[in-house]
Amino acid sequence: MSSTKNNVTQSITQVIAASSLGTLIEWYDFYIFGSLAVIIGQQLFPSDAGASALINTLAIFAAGFIVRPFGALVFGRLGDLIGRKYTFLLTLVLMGGSTFLIGLIPSYSSIGYAAPILVLILRLVQGLALGGEYGGAATYVAEHAPVGRRGFFTSWIQTTATLGLFLSLGVIVFTKNILGAEKFADWGWRIPFLVSILLVGVSIYIRMKMHESPVFTKLKADGKVSTNPLKDSFQKKANFKMVLLALFGATMGQGVIWYTGQFYAQSFLENTCKLDFNESRYILLWAILFATPFFVVFGSWSDRVGRKWIMLSGMLLGIVFYRPIYQYFIDATNVKEFQKTELKTASTPNTTHELVKGTLDSMITTTTFKTLSNGITFKESKVEVIPDDVLAPLPEIKTIIADVTLPNQTFIIFVLLVFFQVLLVTMVYGPIAAFLVELFPTKIRYTSMSLPYHIGNGVFGGLVPFIATLVASFPGSTPLSGLWYPIGIAALSFVIGAVYIDNKGDRNVAD
Amino acid sequence: MNNLKKMLGIVWIVLGPVIILFLIVQAFDKIAAASTGIARTNTTLQWSIIILIFIPICAGLMIFGYYGWKGEYEKLE
């Protein structure tokens, strides 16, 4: 009896390891492009604007959220027709292969416009593959997991997106520190892309040895596999209404909480608070490291108390606490105000003279490194433009703050505040795979759960940076105004989830 | 609770077109404000993508509202 139990446990452990590792690598592949977008833009796109700017926009903006729902449909359909194992093996090969190839694309100076076009094509393949991966991995694990432990086992899949981000940041920071910023920008950025082929190779080897999901195998043996999963998923009211419920009551809110906690936080610290490149990444890395185990904690807890209220509590806490947290970020890094009373030391100003690009106007930049008595250090540049036309009015002198570093105590508070946000991510994200899997019958599960998941994540979540920036540009807005988008979407999802979702759920996944 | 589900259904039905209208107004506003040339083309492209994606999502919200109003979610408590 004990031996049998050990075999079952080992089998599930292997299933989780194979599924999670592959999904982690897919997320790693997906994130390194975003993290290195600026460098890739310099290497693979021409410096002047033109047609390439359009391709650049599409490659960075579009593939992130447009293509994923299509990937969910294409691979979801395949997964329900031919099986889970081979479908998400295919997505892994496509994702890994395209990532590796991005690392090999010659620069724009070598092959011209072929470079950005190749990047765009490979980015679209990445987006499609990612759209097909998650549903397969979550379904595969859930269909192996024992009754009453499905939240616990599938929550391991949930850790992979966060760990993929963690791994990508880690590899980038490590490579950059080893090579130095100049070599990294020149050719070192290719290393994180090329390394992925090794990880993908290992993952493919492990996945090849796995068996098809037992629930799907039985369905196939019984001849009950859907012949048209798309039609069965979206044309039958009984199922389509659950697709809509999953999207509006859960994945939509989950998507914005996820992107706010893990992406908007970093972007806000870097762009609005002007934190140093490494400083903002270290804050995120520590926060993710401490928070990641909670995916499993909340996934496991959802097996006992139900999925609904854990996910909705994460959304509610985000709605309540986002604005105070980001207000603290702004207040603690307001160096323009601090230096009026707390300036301790300032370096000798370094002045440079140059022409403004494309004009005969002169630009004088005076840079000073300052330390405040509260421990903050930063770089202040005053930029003065002298017009070539002596009769033209002098433009206002611009003050640019950059490379802010925090004293230890404030750094720790920042880590805790980002940790709290990632903790909310674990609450909404930990139980959601089990929730989605249990919502749909086996024969159309892959298709049905993939679409709401990727619309929630890819569209609602992926648009957080764009819409938050847009809202912050409205007349009369403040740096915190952008938060109204995730807060509003999470509030809408919270109301729909609270009113319409059943906390008990249907725990039978063999139907 | 079932009455609340039905009443909120009407809210979701109304919310769908309101969101689309808001996005279209914003799109016109932002495209007009963008400088000419590639910047305007990029802004137009981004907004076209957003509106094209949100039209089916808002239609989905309206269908969801319709199902809610018709009592399709009454058994889920």
Side-chain angles (χ1 to χ4, degrees), chain A residues 460-504:
Chain A
F460 285 100
L463 280 175
V464 167
F466 178 79
I467 295 187
T469 309
L470 177 75
V471 174
S473 73
F474 288 167
S477 63
T478 69
L480 294 185
S481 301
L483 287 170
W484 287 122
Y485 171 67
I487 289 173
I489 295 292
L492 181 60
S493 195
F494 175 81
V495 172
I496 293 175
V499 173
Y500 293 93
I501 288 177
D502 174 19
N503 191 44
K504 293 188 195 110

Side-chain angles (χ1 to χ4, degrees), chain A residues 405-435:
Chain A
T405 64
L406 303 167
N408 281 345
Q409 195 181 347
T410 315
F411 180 85
I412 290 168
I413 294 172
F414 272 47
V415 170
L416 288 173
L417 291 176
V418 178
F419 163 79
F420 177 72
Q421 291 182 65
V422 184
L423 190 70
L424 304 187
V425 173
T426 66
M427 290 176 78
V428 296
Y429 204 49
I432 207 161
F435 167 77

Side-chain angles (χ1 to χ4, degrees), chain B residues 26-47:
Chain B
Q26 284 301 318
F28 274 110
D29 191 32
K30 298 302 165 192
I31 292 167
S35 53
T36 52
I38 200 72
R40 176 169 284 191
T41 314
N42 267 337
T43 311
T44 310
L45 181 72
Q46 290 182 351
W47 276 101

Side-chain angles (χ1 to χ4, degrees), chain A residues 267-328:
Chain A
S267 146
F268 192 87
L269 291 177
E270 212 167 310
N271 300 322
T272 306
C273 302
K274 306 296 179 191
L275 283 196
D276 172 67
F277 177 91
N278 279 345
E279 187 99 335
S280 61
R281 276 158 184 79
Y282 286 141
I283 288 169
L284 195 66
L285 283 169
W286 282 116
I288 288 174
L289 184 69
F290 293 132
T292 298
F294 287 92
F295 282 108
V296 181
V297 170
F298 288 117
S300 178
W301 197 27
S302 74
D303 285 329
R304 296 195 292 277
V305 300
R307 328 277 183 214
K308 171 180 170 177
W309 288 111
I310 295 177
M311 295 190 295
L312 295 185
S313 300
M315 291 180 206
L316 186 62
L317 289 169
I319 294 164
V320 173
F321 287 108
Y322 276 159
R323 282 184 66 87
I325 288 173
Y326 283 80
Q327 184 65 57
Y328 180 83

Side-chain angles (χ1 to χ4, degrees), chain A residues 220-257:
Chain A
K220 203 168 183 180
D222 295 345
K224 292 180 181 172
V225 174
S226 172
T227 52
N228 192 341
L230 289 176
K231 190 178 170 189
D232 289 345
S233 290
F234 307 119
Q235 282 190 7
K236 288 189 177 168
K237 190 167 74 177
N239 192 64
F240 186 53
K241 71 179 186 184
M242 303 313 278
V243 172
L244 295 174
L245 180 60
L247 170 61
F248 296 115
T251 62
M252 178 174 80
Q254 174 253 309
V256 293
I257 294 286

Side-chain angles (χ1 to χ4, degrees), chain A residues 387-403:
Chain A
D388 179 47
D389 178 0
V390 289
L391 296 175
L394 285 174
E396 200 179 327
I397 297 175
K398 277 187 190 168
T399 302
I400 299 167
I401 303 289
D403 299 345

